[in-house]
Amino acid sequence: MKDPWGRCLRQLTGLFQSLERETQKVVRVVQALETRRVEEQKKKESRKSNVATEVKELPAENLYDELACPKLEIRHVHKLYDAIAPQWDRTRYKGWPRVDDFIVSVCRSNAPSPLIADLGCGNGKYMHHNNGR
């Protein structure tokens, strides 16, 4: 029998790598948009007065805090997810049948303490299988 955990881990690794690539693309786009906004603001201010004003951009090293998310991600991504979370949770209350069957089979196995990691964006809809374990 093939190793289902190995396959699952390879798929998760691939997903995480794809997610990282896409996240880097989004960060570059957001940074470009922010740069353009700053440049447009600078042009607008210079038109208002004959004195050129210096618009300071946020240095790249200040976009990241130690052990924290980038400020741009917090501003744009976290707020979006916080806004849609209640409606998302209401519409995703029932587990997928194949996932439910898999969890039941693992919980019924003779393993002393099976470990199942539900990684990703979830609302705990599979936690009813825990049964105190």
Side-chain angles (χ1 to χ4, degrees), residues 1 4-6 12 15 37 41 43 51 55 60 65-66 69 71 73 76 81 88 94 98 103-104 106 110 119-120:
M1 182 174 158
W5 291 108
L12 281 173
L15 287 171
R37 185 194 66 76
Q41 182 68 26
K43 287 178 186 177
V51 179
V55 177
D65 295 328
E66 276 188 44
C69 295
K71 292 177 183 177
E73 180 181 335
H76 298 287
Y81 280 113
W88 191 93
K94 188 173 193 284
R98 294 180 90 181
I103 293 172
V104 167
V106 170
N110 291 330
L119 303 173

Side-chain angles (χ1 to χ4, degrees), residues 66-124:
E66 276 188 44
L67 304 174
C69 295
K71 292 177 183 177
L72 291 172
E73 180 181 335
I74 291 170
R75 186 184 316 150
H76 298 287
V77 179
H78 292 199
K79 287 184 179 179
L80 171 69
Y81 280 113
D82 288 343
I84 66 173
Q87 191 273 340
W88 191 93
D89 184 54
R90 283 193 303 275
T91 60
R92 280 138 179 109
Y93 55 89
K94 188 173 193 284
W96 297 348
R98 294 180 90 181
V99 174
D100 278 328
D101 293 343
F102 172 75
I103 293 172
V104 167
S105 71
V106 170
C107 289
R108 288 185 181 161
S109 70
N110 291 330
S113 181
L115 176 64
I116 298 174
D118 183 11
L119 303 173
C121 301
N123 58 356

Side-chain angles (χ1 to χ4, degrees), residues 26-82:
V26 169
V27 167
R28 284 192 298 269
V29 168
V30 170
Q31 288 173 338
L33 289 172
E34 184 67 14
T35 300
R36 184 184 306 164
R37 185 194 66 76
V38 168
E39 289 171 358
E40 289 173 2
Q41 182 68 26
K42 192 174 184 178
K43 287 178 186 177
K44 189 184 287 185
E45 288 176 7
S46 68
R47 281 185 222 129
K48 289 180 181 178
S49 67
N50 293 334
V51 179
T53 59
E54 184 178 319
V55 177
K56 294 182 180 179
E57 293 184 47
L58 187 63
E61 62 268 13
N62 290 342
L63 289 176
Y64 297 91
D65 295 328
E66 276 188 44
L67 304 174
C69 295
K71 292 177 183 177
L72 291 172
E73 180 181 335
I74 291 170
R75 186 184 316 150
H76 298 287
V77 179
H78 292 199
K79 287 184 179 179
L80 171 69
Y81 280 113
D82 288 343

